[in-house]
Amino acid sequence: MFDSVLIANRGEIACRVIRTCRRLGVRTISVFSEADRGALFTRLADVAVSIGPSPASDSYLRGDRIVAVAQQTGAQAIHPGYGFLAENAGFARACAAAGVRFIGPSPDAMEAMGLKDAAKALMERVGVPVVPGYHGADQDDGRLLHEAACIGFPVLIKAVAGGGGKGMRRVDAHSDFLGALAAARREAQGSFGDSRVLVEKYLEKPRHIELQILADAHGNTLHLHERDCSLQRRHQKVVEEAPAPSVPPALRKAMGDAAVQAARAVQYEGAGTVEMIVDVAAGLSERFYFMEMNTRLQVEHPVTELITGLDLVEWQLRIAAGEHLPLTQEQLPLRGHAIEVRVCAEEPAADFAPRTGSLRHVAWPQHPHLRVETGVTTGDDVSVFYDSMIAKLVVWGEDRAQAIRVLSQCLAQVELAGVQTNLSFLKAAIDQPAFRTGDVHTGFLAQHREAILARPAGWFSDTVALAVMGLLRQREQGGNASPWSDRRSFRVNAPATDVLLLSLQGRALDVVVRFDGARTELRFEGQVVSVEQAVLTGQQLTVISGERLLQASYVVDGERAFLLREAESHELRVRALFLAAAEDAGALGVVRSPLPGRILSVFVATGQRVQKGEPLVSLEAMKMEHTLRASADGVVQSVSVKAQEQVVEGGTLLVLHDPDAEKE
Ligand code: ADP
Ligand code: ADP
Ligand code: MG
């Protein structure tokens, strides 16, 4: 075994590799960019060396600098993680030339599998089924169009150098082909510097099933069963599990044998993955096709570790150090079921657009069968420089149903604030009945999008109740809070009414709060919510509303607070807080604006009965927010303004009158 290993990567995978190295007593050297100065993985490593500016092209892709650091620090081997230089044959050759062991397959094996057309041709030669299509050298428009017509639409155009779901175009009709071809070529040239494409049959309802391979330098090649990675967005994996749901043993064996054959065809060494596509349009058939081989450790490798009990990083190191695989194919365990979800900084409702920001609060749940793989802690940034993955949550269960239940519970308890994430999307996705029955395919997330993004009835009012009660309790506990509790005790006869001008997730929210003995009534956006009890202990908030018990975490972060519950984070800010006694400008008769300004909210409607002290209108004037209140009980006869409208000083806002006077 090596004495020291350099990890040419960052974030969660660097942390993951360091963990196994430490267990094996291997000294670790990390390299980091400017943006990662002080990051978790640099603190976990024994040695951390700066390699350049934040952009990956100036740091994590600078193979020359990384090899130089390995030589300076005496690292015997380099683990490339995934992404960056992991599948770069030139880098593997540079390592060898410098006398440093590259932990991975030979550069030749990487190259043989690096281009999709050559890999498909090789697989055909060794008898591994490939998706029907054309992957020849002739790139002439007419030839490709002819081949597409022979395959039959729909077809998929793929960049031969593609990866990460890029450079792919589905074409449904003959007439669309040449336009899509031009677009695919442009994207391929831009992303990979290679405009060549292949064309293959587009499978309408496929599953992505892949085989984990381990091969030693002594001719032993094993597959560690399969993973199902069918839940994807933009052809990229989001949820992965092992084993694949409802795969019959015969299919598992056939796919496993084919994957081993694929690896043997390139004299594969180390850990790798053979990706297959299986057509399930007419149920789970026995037909599977080779898609590509990824010649590295994969993001989703932990699910395989949890069902086999093997540490894949340990075996990468042992194989690179020349050891023999300890097990035969028949001895390889398959116990229970494991699922992983990728928690990313992104907004699912906005077509999964990536988001950046500072993680203000990070807390992971505890569960004996939960593994959290992450590279960030509270205070870290999700920057524009690298990918948007914040963490992977991986659970093990005795069976698939148990694994889903545990994962769903754990997801509900994750607390991430400060950056938008896909957490609640992930939870809703695995909670879908169709996921629970195992009806997975690559179109699953698109098919169930509406249901996944939907919120249960009462979701918004519960959120507001928790946010407002958290704020009120926090103010009572803080130094500037006494007016709230004091005032209620003085008003024994009339309920006190106040207005909270808040912003919840950046959206203005005005809440009229009435304290009525122990009960608190909240009115906002046409809803009325009654709160019987609210307790804030540390960051734990418990609210009883109606008959229901609501719970959340309430985390104060300077000028704002975060309400965290059910895999969601809601940012709360106070636009202004007014006490009932502050103003009494709304006299009976014509209610006029005391200042020139802009209307923020109108709290009443024509015909509404109001009590003395009740808020009528709030406006922003002289950079301050003012609330006008009824000076006496009355009825709103007319309203002249609406939110966002500008008003002049003395302008009519509404007319209030005394209903009893009218009767006379
Ligand atoms: P997997 O099949 O293991 O999920 P992905 O295609 O999702 O692999 O890629 C794994 C990681 O590597 C992702 O974080 C992705 O952003 C990154 N990655 C993929 N290709 C490249 C590349 N060419 N350069 C840098 N990073 C890459
Ligand atoms: P990448 O190198 O970007 O990972 P892959 O060839 O592995 O490219 O394909 C990525 C994803 O695209 C697959 O997981 C699958 O969802 C989809 N895909 C690939 N080939 C086909 C096909 N022939 N028909 C339908 N979907 C496909
Ligand atoms: Mg792939």
Side-chain angles (χ1 to χ4, degrees), residues 290-340:
F290 170 91
M291 261 195 308
E292 65 164 345
M293 180 166 191
N294 290 325
T295 55
R296 55 173 157 91
L297 187 69
Q298 226 145 327
V299 173
E300 59 274 22
H301 75 277
V303 291
T304 298
E305 297 186 321
L306 293 185
I307 61 159
T308 59
L310 295 182
D311 178 331
L312 288 178
V313 173
E314 174 181 347
W315 277 100
Q316 285 187 295
L317 297 176
R318 289 192 185 282
I319 289 168
E323 293 189 29
H324 283 80
L325 284 174
L327 298 168
T328 62
Q329 189 67 58
E330 292 65 39
Q331 292 170 327
L332 206 81
L334 196 178
R335 273 197 334 267
H337 198 95
I339 310 181
E340 170 182 286

Side-chain angles (χ1 to χ4, degrees), residues 179-254:
L181 176 62
R185 279 179 174 151
R186 272 196 305 277
E187 194 174 318
Q189 184 65 39
S191 300
F192 312 108
D194 183 342
S195 65
R196 286 176 299 153
V197 297
L198 58 81
V199 185
E200 63 187 30
K201 182 75 196 160
Y202 183 86
L203 304 181
E204 297 273 9
K205 192 185 176 188
R207 276 170 68 175
H208 173 122
I209 300 181
E210 59 184 33
L211 282 295
Q212 175 68 53
I213 294 291
L214 267 189
D216 66 21
H218 312 284
N220 303 304
T221 304
L222 299 179
H223 73 82
L224 279 65
H225 317 304
E226 80 285 356
R227 297 185 284 254
D228 191 303
C229 313
S230 296
L231 266 57
Q232 304 182 346
R233 49 122 174 79
R234 284 202 233 99
H235 302 300
Q236 283 181 293
K237 301 158 186 171
V238 181
V239 180
E240 301 108 337
E241 54 184 311
S246 53
V247 165
L251 179 58
R252 171 169 301 129
K253 180 166 179 350

Side-chain angles (χ1 to χ4, degrees), residues 593-610:
S593 178
L595 295 159
R598 184 172 61 93
I599 303 294
L600 293 172
S601 289
V602 180
F603 298 111
V604 294
T606 302
Q608 186 177 328
R609 199 170 263 279
V610 295

